[in-house]
Structure formats: structure tokens, C-alpha cells
Amino acid sequence: MVDLYAAGSPAAVQSHHVFHLGHSLVGRDMPAMLAQLAPVEHRYESQLGWGTPLRSHWDPDRVPIGGFEAENAHPRYRDAREALASGAYTAFVMTEMVEIKDAIRYHQSAKHLRNWAELARHSNPDIGLYLYETWHDLTDPEGWLNRLELDLSRYWDRKILRPALTADRAIRPIYLIPAGQVLGAFVRDLEGQGGFDELRSREDLFARTPEGKLDTIHMGDLGNYLVALTHYAVLYQRSPVGLPTQLVRADGTPAVAASSAAAQLMQETVWRVVTSQPLSGVRFSEA
């Protein structure tokens, strides 16, 4: 499988039309932030659910998509099969549910990653395919950082990506958007240097309820910004250093912005991680 990625991904495009398939760790705000970071011609649609495995999106009659109406009640929703059949998309970003171990055990993750990849390429052989690596609950007993360090190899790569590719020797690479790896690297640097005024620990990347209680799985504005930077770097094969920090959420309200120092660490971390991960398809070309 290493040979599939040896040359890196195809030449960078000026602007993408992206389809996002997944669940609430995609959400509405992260793709909206990505669109603000990307060239103005960037477009996107999505199909989401609550904790939804790829299998549910593939066969909702047998494994229903939880929260379908709520998660897709926005102007960017488009039926996934209809979208891919149009052949209009240049990038297709998929992610698997978490807990990732359960997705693999009960929902045939590799099989359905391959199914979606083949469907996308049937209508557009040149579409770029991407697997978005996410994260797990902050309270995981195995340790949040420890799992980020271990899970890419033992689950996302060995149990999902590698089997999906080797099952069909004709298939081209599915590139990795290593958001989990970026989060781990950023948190180690952040907490190691004592943080910034608005961003001192991993918890500050995550959302809070209206009552102020920490949401231990969903990102807040600062976390979504970091994940959007990661998508940008992989999809556009460009360094995110210097990109804007003042963005709005999907509903048009101002997002909490990172300070210039925090944003610079985020952007530099993203580029370092993405360019050092062969599965991303990105090769170092600029600082």
C-alpha cells in the first residue's frame, strides 16, 4: 500500500467542490469554516447523522441514520447518492463513526469505505477521495492522547483504510485527513508551553453546553478551526500559515477566534503533521 502514496496526491486544484459524508464530528460549522479559508470558488454539500457509521449512509433501510432530519436541516444538505451520481464533485470526504472499535466490529467499516469510494469514482473517475480521521471522548479510560497516538495505525489504517484498498487492486489511493493526529500534536505543544490566554488546555478546543458544561466529544469554535485548517492543507496541498482567524459559523454568527499566537501554532502544527504523514498525499513544498 505504501507504493500507492509514494508519488503524493494529484496536482493541487484551484478550487474544490466537496461532499462531506459523516456525522456530528463533521457538523455544520467546520465545513463552513473550511469554505472561508479556501478560495472563493470553493463549494460544498453534506449528508450527516448522529454517530452515523458509513454503513448507515450506504444502507439506511437496514441500519437507520440517527438524527437524519435534525442533522440535515440546513441549506447545504444533499442526498449522498444523488450528489455523487452527478459527477460534479472534485473531492469526497468520508468519516467513520466513533467509537471506532465498534464501527469496525459491527459495521464493516472497510467494506463500506470501499463501497462509497467505488460509487464516487463510477460517476467521476478523477474525484479525490479522503478519509477524515477523527477522535474519541476526552474521558476515554485508555487516555485521550494515548489513543490518538495509537488509533491511527491500529484502527484507521490497518482495519479500515488498508483493507479497503487491498480488496480492490485497481482502486487508487484514499487520502487521509489526519485531524486526530493534528489534535494530538497541537495539544502536546499547547499544554507543554502553558497555553495562551484563551486557549490553555485540550478542554478549550471543545464545545460547552449553554449551562457551561464541557462537551467531551464535539469541538467548539477553536477546535473546529483547527480541524478546518487540516482539511484545507490536505485538500489544497497548501500551507495554512497566514490564513484568516476571524470566521463565522454556519449560521452566520461570529466564531470565537484564536489569538494571533495561538493561530500561528495551530497553522504551523497542521502543516508539520500533514506534510510528515504519507497517507495525506501532501508533500512539503513551502514553509
Side-chain angles (χ1 to χ4, degrees), residues 35-204:
Q36 294 164 71
L37 299 171
V40 294
E41 296 86 0
H42 178 102
R43 293 178 291 156
Y44 72 96
E45 283 81 33
S46 66
Q47 179 175 298
L48 308 175
W50 290 340
T52 307
L54 290 169
R55 180 184 179 189
S56 290
H57 287 296
W58 184 259
D59 193 1
D61 291 337
R62 301 185 76 178
V63 187
I65 300 172
F68 182 89
E69 292 186 4
E71 280 297 302
N72 295 299
H74 57 87
R76 297 291 182 172
Y77 164 70
R78 188 176 183 185
D79 176 81
R81 288 180 179 271
E82 172 194 291
L84 295 175
S86 73
Y89 293 84
T90 59
F92 179 32
V93 181
M94 301 164 272
T95 194
E96 186 53 287
M97 63 166 266
V98 289
E99 174 59 62
I100 194 67
K101 293 181 287 188
D102 292 340
I104 293 165
R105 181 176 181 181
Y106 300 112
H107 295 298
Q108 301 171 293
S109 299
K111 172 184 175 180
H112 290 96
L113 179 65
R114 185 174 69 253
N115 285 346
W116 280 110
E118 290 173 348
L119 182 67
R121 285 195 170 131
H122 178 75
S123 297
N124 180 3
D126 296 324
I127 193 171
L129 299 178
Y130 301 87
L131 176 63
Y132 162 30
E133 176 220 5
T134 59
W135 54 92
H136 42 275
D137 198 283
L138 274 175
T139 62
D140 191 276
E142 194 174 350
W144 191 72
L145 282 175
N146 187 53
R147 282 208 59 183
L148 289 176
E149 183 175 340
L150 296 173
D151 281 7
L152 175 59
S153 175
R154 66 183 178 180
Y155 298 133
W156 294 91
D157 182 8
R158 295 182 186 175
K159 298 293 186 180
I160 302 178
L161 187 56
R162 193 178 302 265
L165 294 174
T166 56
D168 183 350
R169 295 182 182 274
I171 199 167
R172 293 188 305 234
I174 298 171
Y175 296 102
L176 182 78
I177 298 179
Q181 301 310 294
V182 166
L183 283 166
F186 177 74
V187 165
R188 287 187 182 90
D189 288 347
L190 174 75
E191 295 179 351
Q193 63 182 258
F196 305 93
D197 288 343
E198 80 286 13
L199 186 54
R200 294 190 174 275
S201 71
R202 66 195 73 180
E203 287 83 2
D204 294 328

Side-chain angles (χ1 to χ4, degrees), residues 234-245:
V234 175
L235 290 171
Y236 285 100
Q237 302 177 51
R238 302 175 193 168
S239 169
V241 174
L243 286 177
T245 58

